[in-house]
């Protein structure tokens, strides 16, 4: 995400132009070896939970480009959608509600990662269903665009687990949920 929280269309100019977004591909100038190694780590096979729009972008690209994300075609892709019911991309399961997500979260199985999917992430944050955040904060502001943290995020504390800064200035931070927000008085 950008310094001002925009997460829309990081990968390319035509990735998501909804709302008149014209800055698609804003990540490209900051990509370097350090960021690439972090991406490799984050792309280890794990089941995915995706919003419909992110799923459509992924399903259009990844089935033919698995060499860039080994295992992506074999993991289960859970897709939150009220309109989609089937896909040719193997191992795709459609879910429709927050209840379905809660059942999935409470089930046994592999970790589940969310990529992109701003509206879905906001729903998860609003309902205290986020255990961990992997944030990549890019040194730019875009003003308009889909945001990671928007309306409805509940107060929650997180603990920094791991962090690094790339040569191009991207801050990479892994946060784990740490309970409720604590308050106090500075200097007291």
């Amino acid at each position: 995400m950008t310094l001002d929280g925009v997460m829309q269309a990081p990968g390319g100019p035509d990735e998501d132009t909804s709302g008149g977004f014209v800055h698609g591909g804003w990540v490209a100038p900051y990509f370097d070896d350090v960021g690439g190694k972090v991406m490799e780590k984050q792309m280890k096979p794990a089941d995915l939970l995706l919003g419909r729009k992110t799923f459509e972008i992924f399903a259009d690209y990844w089935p033919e480009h698995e060499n860039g994300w080994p295992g992506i075609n074999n993991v289960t892709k859970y897709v939150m959608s009220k309109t989609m019911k089937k896909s040719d991309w193997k191992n795709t399961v459609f879910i429709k509600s927050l209840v379905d997500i809660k059942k999935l979260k409470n089930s046994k199985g592999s970790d589940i990662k969310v990529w992109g999917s701003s509206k879905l992430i906001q729903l998860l944050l609003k309902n205290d269903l986020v255990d961990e955040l992997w944030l990549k904060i890019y040194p730019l502001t875009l003003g308009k665009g889909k945001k990671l943290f928007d309306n409805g995020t509940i107060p929650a504390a997180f603990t920094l687990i791991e962090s690094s800064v790339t040569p191009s200035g991207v801050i990479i931070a892994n946060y784990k949920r740490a309970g409720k927000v604590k308050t106090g008085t500075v200097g007291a």
Side-chain angles (χ1 to χ4, degrees), residues 82-95:
K82 293 177 182 165
T83 57
M84 292 184 80
K85 294 179 178 25
K86 66 179 200 157
S87 171
D88 292 334
W89 195 10
K90 69 179 181 176
N91 301 323
T92 298
V93 176
F94 291 95
I95 58 176

Side-chain angles (χ1 to χ4, degrees), residues 4-150:
D4 58 344
V6 173
M7 61 181 285
Q8 185 170 348
D14 299 320
E15 187 174 69
D16 180 2
T17 59
S18 63
F21 190 74
V22 297
H23 299 292
W26 50 269
V27 164
Y30 300 95
F31 195 79
D32 55 37
D33 288 342
V34 174
K37 288 188 187 327
V38 170
M39 286 295 290
E40 281 180 28
K41 181 178 180 180
Q42 291 176 329
M43 293 168 89
K44 297 276 187 226
D47 290 344
L48 301 176
L49 174 61
L50 304 169
R52 181 199 47 82
K53 185 164 250 178
T54 300
F55 174 77
E56 288 175 340
I57 293 167
F58 277 27
D60 193 43
Y61 182 81
W62 288 113
E64 303 302 321
H65 297 90
E66 185 175 17
N67 59 329
W69 191 342
I72 183 70
N73 291 324
N74 297 323
V75 300
T76 302
K77 278 79 63 183
Y78 296 97
V79 183
M80 179 76 156
S81 176
K82 293 177 182 165
T83 57
M84 292 184 80
K85 294 179 178 25
K86 66 179 200 157
S87 171
D88 292 334
W89 195 10
K90 69 179 181 176
N91 301 323
T92 298
V93 176
F94 291 95
I95 58 176
K96 294 182 189 308
S97 69
L98 186 60
V99 171
D100 293 335
I101 293 173
K102 288 179 179 179
K103 284 180 190 173
L104 185 59
K105 183 175 180 352
N106 293 324
S107 67
K108 294 183 179 178
S110 75
D111 287 343
I112 300 172
K113 296 180 181 180
V114 178
W115 285 81
S117 307
S118 61
K119 288 182 182 177
L120 176 59
I121 291 173
Q122 290 167 12
L123 178 69
L124 298 174
L125 287 166
K126 182 179 181 178
N127 289 279
D128 199 15
L129 294 171
V130 175
D131 296 327
E132 210 170 315
L133 292 167
W134 272 95
L135 303 179
K136 291 184 225 60
I137 304 163
Y138 289 79
L140 75 155
T141 58
L142 295 176
K144 293 183 179 180
K146 295 176 182 175
K147 307 261 181 166
L148 177 61
F149 302 105
D150 210 358

